[in-house]
Amino acid sequence: MGNKLIKIKCPVCGKRTQWENNPYRPFCSKKCKLADLYGWLSEEYRIKINPDEIEDEYIEEVER
Ligand SMILES: [Zn+2]
């Protein structure tokens, strides 16, 4: 009758964390939960606005 704790691996940082009594599961902490959320958002943002294109346009503007 061991008190078996369910351990999960955080999908953001890969740290082993506890499933029970973890309000941020499947993440290890609030920080990783938010990091995952903002990761998705910033990835979508990056598709719409390509930083390389912005830089090229800026360079052309300077050379003119
Ligand atoms: Zn984590």
Side-chain angles (χ1 to χ4, degrees), residues 10 12-13 28 32:
C10 173
V12 173
C13 68
C28 68
C32 281

Side-chain angles (χ1 to χ4, degrees), residues 3-4 10 15 20-21 28 30 34 39 41 43 47 56 63:
N3 192 11
K4 200 182 168 191
C10 173
K15 199 173 126 187
E20 302 284 325
N21 306 317
C28 68
K30 190 182 181 180
L34 290 174
L41 291 176
E43 219 158 282
I47 293 161
D56 284 345
E63 284 173 351

Side-chain angles (χ1 to χ4, degrees), residues 20 42 62:
E20 302 284 325
S42 62
V62 170

